[in-house]
Amino acid sequence: LGDRNLWLLDIHSLQKQLLGARDAKYPSLNSQNSRLAFQDVRYNANIWQIELADDEAVPEQIIQSIKYNNFPSYSPDGKQITFVSNRKGKAAIWLYSLETKKQTQLLAIKDTDLVLPNWSYDGTHILVSSRSSTGYRCYQIDLATKLYQPLYSISQQHHGCHYSPNGDIFAISKEQGEKSTLKKITKNGNITGLSDFSIKRIQTTQANKIIYSLENENGLYSMDFNGNNNQVLVDNFES
Protein backbone atom coordinates (compact mmCIF):
# COMPACT_ATOMS: atom_id res chain seq x y z
CA LEU A 1 0.00 0.00 0.00
CA GLY A 2 3.05 2.28 -0.09
CA ASP A 3 3.76 2.23 3.65
CA ARG A 4 4.25 -0.42 6.35
CA ASN A 5 1.04 -1.81 7.91
CA LEU A 6 0.01 -4.69 10.16
CA TRP A 7 -1.82 -7.60 8.56
CA LEU A 8 -3.56 -10.61 10.12
CA LEU A 9 -3.25 -14.03 8.46
CA ASP A 10 -5.58 -16.92 9.27
CA ILE A 11 -3.25 -19.94 9.19
CA HIS A 12 -6.07 -22.34 8.21
CA SER A 13 -7.96 -20.37 5.55
CA LEU A 14 -4.92 -18.26 4.48
CA GLN A 15 -7.23 -15.24 4.37
CA LYS A 16 -5.44 -11.92 4.98
CA GLN A 17 -6.95 -8.93 6.76
CA LEU A 18 -5.52 -5.41 6.92
CA LEU A 19 -5.28 -4.21 10.54
CA GLY A 20 -3.72 -0.84 9.74
CA ALA A 21 -1.36 1.12 12.02
CA ARG A 22 0.78 3.16 9.65
CA ASP A 23 4.51 2.46 9.75
CA ALA A 24 4.04 -0.29 12.35
CA LYS A 25 6.60 -3.01 13.11
CA TYR A 26 7.19 -5.93 15.49
CA PRO A 27 3.62 -7.10 16.30
CA SER A 28 3.26 -9.17 19.47
CA LEU A 29 0.13 -11.00 20.68
CA ASN A 30 -0.50 -12.03 24.25
CA SER A 31 -1.11 -15.73 24.93
CA GLN A 32 -4.90 -15.23 24.88
CA ASN A 33 -4.76 -13.40 21.51
CA SER A 34 -6.78 -10.60 23.11
CA ARG A 35 -4.15 -7.85 23.02
CA LEU A 36 -1.75 -6.72 20.32
CA ALA A 37 1.35 -4.61 21.00
CA PHE A 38 3.45 -3.08 18.23
CA GLN A 39 6.02 -0.41 17.45
CA ASP A 40 4.87 2.71 15.63
CA VAL A 41 7.65 4.62 13.86
CA ARG A 42 7.03 8.30 13.28
CA TYR A 43 9.28 11.07 14.60
CA ASN A 44 10.51 8.53 17.15
CA ALA A 45 9.53 4.91 17.88
CA ASN A 46 7.16 3.94 20.67
CA ILE A 47 5.04 0.96 21.72
CA TRP A 48 1.27 0.92 21.27
CA GLN A 49 -1.38 -1.57 22.37
CA ILE A 50 -4.90 -2.40 21.23
CA GLU A 51 -7.60 -4.61 22.76
CA LEU A 52 -8.57 -7.02 20.00
CA ALA A 53 -11.74 -8.27 21.73
CA ASP A 54 -13.28 -4.80 21.47
CA ASP A 55 -14.35 -3.94 17.92
CA GLU A 56 -14.45 -0.24 18.82
CA ALA A 57 -11.07 -0.12 20.57
CA VAL A 58 -8.40 2.22 19.26
CA PRO A 59 -4.64 1.82 19.79
CA GLU A 60 -3.17 3.52 22.86
CA GLN A 61 0.45 4.46 23.41
CA ILE A 62 1.80 2.61 26.46
CA ILE A 63 5.60 2.95 26.22
CA GLN A 64 7.34 6.09 25.05
CA SER A 65 10.62 7.99 25.23
CA ILE A 66 12.55 10.36 22.97
CA LYS A 67 14.58 7.41 21.65
CA TYR A 68 13.63 4.13 19.97
CA ASN A 69 11.46 1.53 21.74
CA ASN A 70 10.78 -1.67 19.84
CA PHE A 71 10.49 -5.49 19.92
CA PRO A 72 7.59 -5.71 22.44
CA SER A 73 6.92 -9.19 23.83
CA TYR A 74 4.14 -10.13 26.27
CA SER A 75 4.83 -12.32 29.29
CA PRO A 76 2.86 -15.60 29.28
CA ASP A 77 0.49 -14.25 31.95
CA GLY A 78 -0.05 -11.04 29.96
CA LYS A 79 0.89 -8.78 32.86
CA GLN A 80 4.26 -7.55 31.54
CA ILE A 81 5.92 -6.59 28.28
CA THR A 82 9.62 -6.83 27.60
CA PHE A 83 10.91 -4.39 25.01
CA VAL A 84 14.12 -2.91 23.66
CA SER A 85 15.13 0.72 24.16
CA ASN A 86 18.27 2.71 23.35
CA ARG A 87 17.31 5.61 25.64
CA LYS A 88 20.54 5.17 27.65
CA GLY A 89 22.89 4.45 24.76
CA LYS A 90 23.18 0.90 23.44
CA ALA A 91 19.98 -1.10 22.96
CA ALA A 92 19.00 -2.68 26.29
CA ILE A 93 16.15 -4.89 27.54
CA TRP A 94 13.42 -3.17 29.54
CA LEU A 95 10.36 -4.44 31.39
CA TYR A 96 6.95 -2.71 31.40
CA SER A 97 4.23 -3.62 33.90
CA LEU A 98 0.70 -3.40 32.53
CA GLU A 99 -0.54 -3.24 36.13
CA THR A 100 1.71 -0.47 37.58
CA LYS A 101 2.49 1.21 34.21
CA LYS A 102 6.17 1.41 35.28
CA GLN A 103 9.19 0.81 33.05
CA THR A 104 12.43 -0.65 34.45
CA GLN A 105 15.67 -1.64 32.79
CA LEU A 106 16.17 -5.40 33.00
CA LEU A 107 19.50 -5.97 31.24
CA ALA A 108 22.20 -3.83 29.62
CA ILE A 109 25.63 -5.11 28.55
CA LYS A 110 28.47 -2.69 27.87
CA ASP A 111 29.29 -2.11 24.17
CA THR A 112 26.53 -4.55 23.17
CA ASP A 113 23.13 -4.12 21.53
CA LEU A 114 20.41 -6.43 22.84
CA VAL A 115 17.33 -7.22 20.73
CA LEU A 116 14.51 -9.75 20.23
CA PRO A 117 13.48 -10.58 23.82
CA ASN A 118 11.60 -13.90 23.95
CA TRP A 119 9.85 -15.36 27.02
CA SER A 120 9.99 -18.97 28.09
CA TYR A 121 6.50 -20.48 28.09
CA ASP A 122 6.52 -20.77 31.90
CA GLY A 123 7.49 -17.09 32.29
CA THR A 124 10.67 -17.77 34.28
CA HIS A 125 13.34 -16.91 31.69
CA ILE A 126 13.90 -14.58 28.75
CA LEU A 127 16.15 -15.11 25.74
CA VAL A 128 17.73 -12.11 24.03
CA SER A 129 19.94 -11.76 20.97
CA SER A 130 23.08 -9.63 21.13
CA ARG A 131 25.27 -7.83 18.63
CA SER A 132 28.74 -6.47 19.47
CA SER A 133 32.22 -6.12 17.96
CA THR A 134 32.76 -9.84 18.64
CA GLY A 135 29.66 -10.88 16.68
CA TYR A 136 26.28 -12.40 17.51
CA ARG A 137 25.13 -14.57 20.41
CA CYS A 138 22.13 -15.20 22.67
CA TYR A 139 21.83 -14.72 26.41
CA GLN A 140 19.35 -16.26 28.84
CA ILE A 141 18.00 -14.15 31.72
CA ASP A 142 16.73 -15.79 34.92
CA LEU A 143 13.92 -13.50 36.08
CA ALA A 144 14.04 -14.78 39.67
CA THR A 145 17.68 -13.78 40.15
CA LYS A 146 18.03 -11.20 37.32
CA LEU A 147 21.27 -13.01 36.38
CA TYR A 148 22.12 -13.74 32.75
CA GLN A 149 24.46 -16.07 30.90
CA PRO A 150 25.26 -16.99 27.30
CA LEU A 151 24.15 -20.26 25.72
CA TYR A 152 27.35 -22.20 26.36
CA SER A 153 26.32 -25.30 24.40
CA ILE A 154 26.51 -23.62 20.98
CA SER A 155 29.90 -22.37 19.79
CA GLN A 156 28.84 -20.89 16.45
CA GLN A 157 27.72 -17.28 16.23
CA HIS A 158 23.94 -17.25 16.60
CA HIS A 159 20.92 -14.99 17.09
CA GLY A 160 17.10 -14.94 16.94
CA CYS A 161 16.75 -17.48 19.77
CA HIS A 162 13.29 -18.75 20.75
CA TYR A 163 11.93 -21.21 23.30
CA SER A 164 9.70 -24.16 22.55
CA PRO A 165 6.92 -24.98 25.06
CA ASN A 166 9.05 -27.78 26.60
CA GLY A 167 12.09 -25.54 27.14
CA ASP A 168 14.20 -26.47 24.10
CA ILE A 169 15.78 -23.50 22.32
CA PHE A 170 15.91 -22.75 18.60
CA ALA A 171 18.71 -20.50 17.34
CA ILE A 172 19.74 -19.17 13.94
CA SER A 173 23.46 -19.89 13.51
CA LYS A 174 25.35 -17.15 11.73
CA GLU A 175 28.95 -17.90 10.79
CA GLN A 176 30.68 -15.26 8.67
CA GLY A 177 30.57 -16.09 4.98
CA GLU A 178 28.10 -18.95 5.47
CA LYS A 179 24.32 -19.13 5.25
CA SER A 180 22.25 -18.79 8.42
CA THR A 181 20.81 -22.17 9.42
CA LEU A 182 18.41 -23.23 12.16
CA LYS A 183 19.70 -25.15 15.20
CA LYS A 184 17.77 -26.91 17.97
CA ILE A 185 19.38 -26.89 21.42
CA THR A 186 17.76 -29.34 23.82
CA LYS A 187 17.61 -28.78 27.57
CA ASN A 188 20.53 -31.18 28.07
CA GLY A 189 22.68 -29.26 25.55
CA ASN A 190 22.42 -31.49 22.47
CA ILE A 191 22.43 -29.56 19.19
CA THR A 192 20.65 -30.65 16.00
CA GLY A 193 20.59 -28.86 12.64
CA LEU A 194 17.03 -28.38 11.32
CA SER A 195 17.68 -26.68 7.98
CA ASP A 196 20.11 -26.72 5.09
CA PHE A 197 18.69 -23.43 3.75
CA SER A 198 19.24 -19.85 4.86
CA ILE A 199 16.81 -18.80 7.64
CA LYS A 200 16.15 -15.11 8.28
CA ARG A 201 13.68 -14.99 11.21
CA ILE A 202 11.67 -17.49 13.25
CA GLN A 203 8.71 -17.60 15.64
CA THR A 204 7.59 -20.62 17.67
CA THR A 205 3.96 -21.47 18.45
CA GLN A 206 2.17 -23.49 21.13
CA ALA A 207 1.03 -25.83 18.33
CA ASN A 208 4.63 -27.09 18.04
CA LYS A 209 5.30 -25.17 14.85
CA ILE A 210 8.15 -22.90 13.79
CA ILE A 211 7.08 -20.06 11.51
CA TYR A 212 10.05 -18.84 9.47
CA SER A 213 11.15 -16.65 6.60
CA LEU A 214 14.10 -17.15 4.26
CA GLU A 215 17.00 -14.85 3.50
CA ASN A 216 16.38 -12.76 0.33
CA GLU A 217 13.43 -14.89 -0.76
CA ASN A 218 9.70 -14.19 -0.71
CA GLY A 219 7.43 -16.45 1.29
CA LEU A 220 6.44 -17.37 4.85
CA TYR A 221 6.78 -21.00 5.90
CA SER A 222 6.33 -23.44 8.79
CA MET A 223 7.97 -26.63 10.01
CA ASP A 224 7.56 -28.81 13.08
CA PHE A 225 10.01 -28.79 16.00
CA ASN A 226 12.06 -31.57 14.38
CA GLY A 227 12.52 -29.71 11.09
CA ASN A 228 9.94 -31.80 9.23
CA ASN A 229 6.55 -31.16 7.57
CA ASN A 230 7.59 -27.94 5.83
CA GLN A 231 4.64 -25.97 4.50
CA VAL A 232 4.12 -22.71 2.62
CA LEU A 233 1.90 -20.30 4.59
CA VAL A 234 2.12 -17.22 2.34
CA ASP A 235 3.85 -17.62 -1.01
CA ASN A 236 4.03 -13.89 -1.83
CA PHE A 237 5.21 -12.66 1.60
CA GLU A 238 7.73 -9.92 0.80
CA SER A 239 11.27 -10.73 1.92
Side-chain angles (χ1 to χ4, degrees), residues 2-6 20-26 38-46 48:
D3 60 357
R4 184 187 296 111
N5 299 113
L6 295 179
R22 184 176 179 181
D23 286 332
K25 296 177 72 175
Y26 311 122
F38 57 92
Q39 178 203 52
D40 189 308
V41 184
R42 303 204 182 175
Y43 300 107
N44 47 28
N46 294 308
W48 294 65

Side-chain angles (χ1 to χ4, degrees), residues 116-128:
L116 290 172
N118 172 249
W119 292 79
S120 63
Y121 281 75
D122 62 6
T124 62
H125 292 76
I126 293 173
L127 284 170
V128 298

